[in-house]
Amino acid sequence: MKSKNLFISFLISICFFSTNCSGSVINVGPGTSFSPAGSDDQKVINAAIESANSGDTVQLASTTFHISSPIIMKSGVTLNGNGIGATVIYCDNPSSNFATQNIIHCEGVSDIEISNFLIDGGWESLSIMHAASNRYREYEKGVYLRGCSNVAVHDLKMQYSMGDFIYCSRNTNNVQVYNTVCKPGHDSFDAWSAGDGISIYNNCWGTFINSCIKIHNTKNVQIYKNTFYTDTGSGNAGVEVMGGDVTGLNIHNNIFSTLRLNTIYQDLADGTSSGSGTVSNNIFYNSPSYNGIGGLDIVSTGNIVTSSYSCSRGTEDYGYVADNGTRNLPDYNGSVIPSVTFPADDSTISTVNGYVSISWSYLNATSYSINVYNSASQFDSSHLIYSLNTSQTSANVPISSTGTYAIKIGAHDDVHNSWVYNSPVSFFTVNGKKSATVYSGVYGYLTDAATGQPVQSAVITLSNDQEDCTQITDVDGLYQFTVNNEEGTYCLTASATGYHNSPELPVNMTGINTEINLKMVKTPDYSEPHYVQLYVCTDSNKSVPGCEIRIYAPNNDLANEKPNFCAWTNNDGRATFHLIRDVTYKIVTITLDGQKYTSTLTPNLGQHIITIPSGDTAAIPPMQTVISTNCTYKPINNTAAYINASYYDSSSQSSDLIFVLGTMSEGKTFVPLGISGTNDNVSNPVGVITDSFIVTDCSGKTYTVKISAQSQTYGAVYETVNVTVPGSNVPDVGSTYMSYFCVLILIIAGLVLSKTRKAH
């Protein structure tokens, strides 16, 4: 029995440490606590994203979300819709609201996914969009990535938007973009000093006045199986190289269709290029040929220039074919035909309350048709029992009789302006009926205990000893949890910024909806720290970047001369601190030329101005003068060693410090090892913080410690530090075999002990 328990425990441990465990789903849309109001819907989306933990999915409902400012992504979160034809993010008043803003803003985040919806820039048409006089129009990015890593953007469509569809900058690494459709006002994809490791495939992008892809000073960019085209407008190029080191550029198996000016070219106005790459097996249809890129060592093979092509429908390699028949590439339609995702083909199901739910998938469509027949061989009007035209990708079909049914789905291919249908049709059999599950749960309103006003964006948690789930209160303070026909005792808690957390409230589930209204008490102002933005300028009102600001609290030991807070002003002369109201602080301002100015500050406002005499206004000091990292090793014995990492922020403005031990795969991808350290997570690091990991069989290996933190001065900080264990630490073979022998002895002893206890 003990051995069996040991084996079961081993299996459980494997499941527990599996990296494939999925997170929670936070629903946003009608019928949830995140209910779009038809304007400023970015507030409910951002509240859902902010409430999510790493691994969670923010699921957007099948509706149109009207936004007037950016959606802000968070590390580890997936933002997912119900399909391009179902979920729409619509930009209200783009000539004003999005003149200089991004639609989906991602900065300093990692491990994110954005998928399955339509982004509408709100300009109604290409002609209206390009007639606009707004000089900032090209800065309205669809998905903006800066300093990000491990990003997947797929199954999206963007239309009527001024700026780039996807923009990568400032050391953004490991990005995948696939199954997307776009014809933007500027570029479809722009990598500007992005970093390393970008894959762009299975996309259909058009040009109007600019290029489908721009690459500048970015390494290892893979571009394949895309369709680049121009139908109206001049268009600049399919792929444009903008200068810098583009080593590893690989452009293959793409279709360049009717491009007016260029297919692949270099813009010499942006500087010279360097590096090497390949251009192979592409089709240039009714387009200029590829003639090389100056400064690049490019291998060009297997490309075809043709003035006609044909489609080989029904063949295994269906796609575009050159007129000489020597080349056949897959045609990009997202998928060749619509596919029914439920019910599975030839499956047997039961009706639920007299209905069958049918869902399907297809990219590039904003409208669908569904026809259901009560025959497996005749698909005519006499056997048609259900028909619907819809923008959704699912439908509830009234079916109450047993028998075999056929599903025919039509999808309007927006890229080629044609209808395509699933062929052959999909079949399912109905056998039996069942009733839907009775839904129950708890809901209520959260209000301020003193004023009675609703408390918005509070975190409400419902939990028991097995699970917990979270909702965010809406503008009316409403929360609601659905618990499917469950009974038992749960715990309900609430927390909100500026309020005391509510006590744990037991909730007895009875299987019906229960209304519980909550009240929260606001924390006193004197104990409520708030963010204060300090603006340093000269007496001539000129901003002073790179200026050090030291802040001393009244209880500071002046003999110590160490400030409570310290930061440097940014390019706008601003720095942000977390201070307490009605407390008078001593402020010491130090310019880059060493001049010191002393003042006092009582932070009752959100912004204060510090004026100093005119002086040096050079750039912000480099980050390494404030934040430093290091990594060393210390041998334990012949087979093991300590990996020690350290982090220090001299400004004392860091928070949420995280250490992760791993290795670098192929020199560019960080792979965690799953080994815990002694000090992995530190909320508010003070002084030098260290973390130690124990590694075995480490002789000659190189390890990487990934260090991340939040800095008030610089925002998100990501550092990777490497250390190599010398090869002299060769394991002693005899000792290794002895270790194995000792383990075997311990196992045998455990089994004997187990049998002995059983006998007793």
Side-chain angles (χ1 to χ4, degrees):
M1 188 64 183
K2 294 288 185 180
S3 300
K4 181 179 180 182
N5 289 341
L6 181 63
F7 180 71
I8 294 174
S9 299
F10 175 72
L11 292 180
I12 292 175
S13 67
I14 293 177
C15 296
F16 181 79
F17 288 107
S18 172
T19 59
N20 295 324
C21 296
S22 58
S24 301
V25 176
I26 303 173
N27 292 302
V28 180
T32 72
S33 292
F34 297 97
S35 299
S39 63
D40 289 332
D41 291 333
Q42 76 281 352
K43 293 181 179 179
V44 294
I45 298 176
N46 285 335
I49 293 174
E50 184 60 31
S51 71
N53 296 316
S54 181
D56 289 353
T57 296
V58 174
Q59 180 65 47
L60 303 179
S62 299
T63 188
T64 297
F65 295 85
H66 291 264
I67 67 173
S68 59
S69 62
I71 294 170
I72 311 297
M73 287 297 292
K74 178 180 177 183
S75 290
V77 174
T78 295
L79 181 65
N80 186 58
N82 280 328
I84 290 175
T87 302
V88 179
I89 293 179
Y90 185 88
C91 300
D92 287 334
N93 194 11
S95 62
S96 175
N97 292 337
F98 284 90
T100 59
Q101 298 190 76
N102 310 305
I103 298 172
I104 300 178
H105 186 87
C106 315
E107 185 166 2
V109 297
S110 60
D111 304 313
I112 62 171
E113 185 174 350
I114 303 170
S115 58
N116 291 299
F117 53 82
L118 169 68
I119 299 174
D120 193 314
W123 286 97
E124 299 182 18
S125 70
L126 285 172
S127 58
I128 294 175
M129 182 169 69
H130 287 280
S133 59
N134 192 333
R135 67 188 180 92
Y136 295 108
R137 63 187 186 183
E138 69 180 69
Y139 299 105
E140 176 192 309
K141 317 297 186 189
V143 179
Y144 176 83
L145 302 166
R146 178 186 172 115
C148 301
S149 61
N150 300 330
V151 178
V153 180
H154 64 91
D155 296 279
L156 292 187
K157 179 179 181 180
M158 188 173 80
Q159 62 186 19
Y160 309 140
S161 180
M162 285 287 196
D164 300 344
F165 176 23
I166 300 169
Y167 184 88
C168 300
S169 70
R170 295 292 181 90
N171 200 30
T172 292
N173 299 290
N174 300 327
V175 178
Q176 293 191 55
V177 179
Y178 57 95
N179 290 4
T180 69
V181 181
C182 183
K183 188 172 185 181
H186 204 244
D187 302 306
S188 297
F189 184 94
D190 198 330
W192 194 264
S193 295
D196 197 340
I198 294 176
S199 296
I200 305 168
Y201 57 96
N202 283 5
N203 302 287
C204 187
W205 293 341
T207 68
F208 188 84
I209 61 171
N210 225 315
S211 300
C212 293
I213 296 179
K214 283 184 178 178
I215 304 296
H216 172 271
N217 199 36
T218 302
K219 298 180 181 179
N220 296 317
V221 179
Q222 310 297 313
I223 303 170
Y224 57 99
K225 294 184 180 179
N226 302 283
T227 298
F228 306 127
Y229 72 96
T230 294
D231 50 10
T232 57
S234 61
N236 194 13
V239 179
E240 180 178 350
V241 178
M242 304 288 289
D245 186 356
V246 291
T247 298
L249 177 63
N250 190 3
I251 306 171
H252 65 93
N253 296 84
N254 301 283
I255 301 167
F256 296 83
S257 176
T258 322
L259 291 166
R260 308 295 175 84
L261 299 180
N262 306 279
T263 51
I264 305 169
Y265 98 117
Q266 178 191 10
D267 189 344
L268 296 176
D270 292 291
T272 60
S273 298
S274 62
S276 60
T278 61
V279 175
S280 61
N281 300 327
N282 301 283
I283 287 182
F284 304 114
Y285 163 68
N286 279 356
S287 302
S289 61
Y290 163 69
N291 295 315
I293 298 175
L296 287 183
D297 180 13
I298 292 287
V299 177
S300 177
T301 58
N303 300 294
I304 293 177
V305 180
T306 180
S307 59
S308 65
Y309 63 86
S310 61
C311 290
S312 305
R313 288 186 179 273
T315 63
E316 182 178 353
D317 55 352
Y318 161 65
Y320 287 108
V321 183
D323 54 358
N324 59 11
T326 59
R327 186 66 189 161
N328 194 310
L329 293 176
D331 179 19
Y332 177 75
N333 277 325
S335 59
V336 177
I337 57 175
S339 59
V340 177
T341 55
F342 185 84
D345 193 27
D346 288 330
S347 63
T348 299
I349 63 173
S350 301
T351 63
V352 179
N353 290 349
Y355 285 86
V356 172
S357 177
I358 297 176
S359 58
W360 57 91
S361 64
Y362 180 74
L363 189 61
N364 302 348
T366 55
S367 57
Y368 304 90
S369 67
I370 173 174
N371 294 315
V372 180
Y373 302 86
N374 61 1
S375 170
S377 59
Q378 301 183 51
F379 313 123
D380 52 39
S381 57
S382 63
H383 295 87
L384 181 66
I385 65 168
Y386 182 83
S387 181
L388 176 67
N389 291 323
T390 178
S391 62
Q392 311 297 313
T393 54
S394 63
N396 282 328
V397 180
I399 296 178
S400 57
S401 303
T402 60
T404 300
Y405 297 85
I407 308 170
K408 189 174 184 180
I409 303 293
H412 186 266
D413 182 347
D414 295 343
V415 173
H416 301 91
N417 194 28
S418 61
W419 283 86
V420 291
Y421 298 89
N422 64 320
S423 179
V425 297
S426 181
F427 298 97
F428 68 96
T429 300
V430 170
N431 183 15
K433 304 176 182 179
K434 62 181 179 180
S435 299
T437 303
V438 177
Y439 290 92
S440 66
V442 59
Y443 68 97
Y445 293 87
L446 177 64
T447 57
D448 187 299
T451 65
Q453 294 298 312
V455 179
Q456 182 183 358
S457 301
V459 179
I460 313 295
T461 303
L462 181 69
S463 60
N464 58 14
D465 57 356
Q466 295 180 340
E467 61 180 355
D468 61 78
C469 47
T470 299
Q471 290 287 332
I472 307 297
T473 55
D474 63 12
V475 292
D476 298 319
L478 175 66
Y479 74 91
Q480 50 188 345
F481 294 93
T482 298
V483 182
N484 296 346
N485 202 28
E486 291 287 342
E487 297 182 1
T489 300
Y490 286 74
C491 181
L492 190 67
T493 59
S495 63
T497 302
Y499 288 85
H500 291 300
N501 290 346
S502 70
E504 296 183 351
L505 180 66
V507 178
N508 186 27
M509 291 293 181
T510 60
I512 60 175
N513 280 325
T514 302
E515 180 177 1
I516 298 180
N517 297 318
L518 303 173
K519 296 182 184 295
M520 298 189 74
V521 177
K522 195 172 181 61
T523 56
D525 287 343
Y526 65 83
S527 64
E528 184 178 326
H530 67 298
Y531 285 101
V532 178
Q533 188 176 77
L534 300 185
Y535 173 62
V536 180
C537 64
T538 64
D539 45 18
S540 59
N541 201 29
K542 182 179 180 181
S543 62
V544 183
C547 183
E548 184 177 359
I549 301 177
R550 298 178 180 177
I551 299 182
Y552 298 85
N555 59 354
N556 186 281
D557 181 7
L558 297 180
N560 185 26
E561 282 300 322
K562 182 177 181 181
N564 296 86
F565 307 97
C566 183
W568 281 259
T569 56
N570 62 13
N571 284 328
D572 297 325
R574 302 180 189 276
T576 303
F577 300 90
H578 204 200
L579 305 178
I580 299 176
R581 300 177 191 271
D582 298 324
V583 173
T584 300
Y585 294 88
K586 174 185 173 182
I587 309 294
V588 176
T589 306
I590 306 175
T591 61
L592 289 179
D593 59 2
Q595 298 297 318
K596 290 186 178 182
Y597 304 93
T598 302
S599 59
T600 59
L601 171 69
T602 304
N604 294 321
L605 302 176
Q607 179 171 304
H608 293 266
I609 298 176
I610 300 175
T611 303
I612 63 175
S614 299
D616 189 3
T617 57
I620 299 175
M623 186 175 68
Q624 54 265 30
T625 64
V626 179
I627 295 171
S628 59
T629 57
N630 191 25
C631 193
T632 61
Y633 84 97
K634 180 180 179 181
I636 299 175
N637 52 39
N638 287 337
T639 63
Y642 287 108
I643 300 296
N644 301 312
S646 65
Y647 175 92
Y648 175 61
D649 180 359
S650 63
S651 68
S652 301
Q653 295 289 291
S654 292
S655 61
D656 299 328
L657 173 63
I658 299 175
F659 296 88
V660 180
L661 179 68
T663 60
M664 298 300 290
S665 174
E666 299 181 356
K668 62 181 181 179
T669 303
F670 179 77
V671 180
L673 291 178
I675 299 175
S676 299
T678 59
N679 204 18
D680 291 347
N681 300 282
V682 182
S683 299
N684 296 298
V686 177
V688 178
I689 305 299
T690 61
D691 196 10
S692 296
F693 304 87
I694 297 178
V695 294
T696 58
D697 190 22
C698 56
S699 176
K701 293 183 179 179
T702 298
Y703 295 91
T704 300
V705 179
K706 185 175 182 180
I707 303 172
S708 63
Q710 289 292 325
S711 167
Q712 280 196 25
T713 308
Y714 298 101
V717 176
Y718 297 93
E719 293 287 323
T720 54
V721 189
N722 298 325
V723 62
T724 300
V725 179
S728 59
N729 283 359
V730 179
D732 182 84
V733 176
S735 299
T736 302
Y737 286 154
M738 182 60 69
S739 298
Y740 293 156
F741 179 75
C742 291
V743 172
L744 179 61
I745 292 298
L746 289 174
I747 293 174
I748 295 173
L751 293 174
V752 172
L753 179 62
S754 174
K755 291 183 178 181
T756 303
R757 289 182 176 177
K758 185 175 180 181
H760 284 295

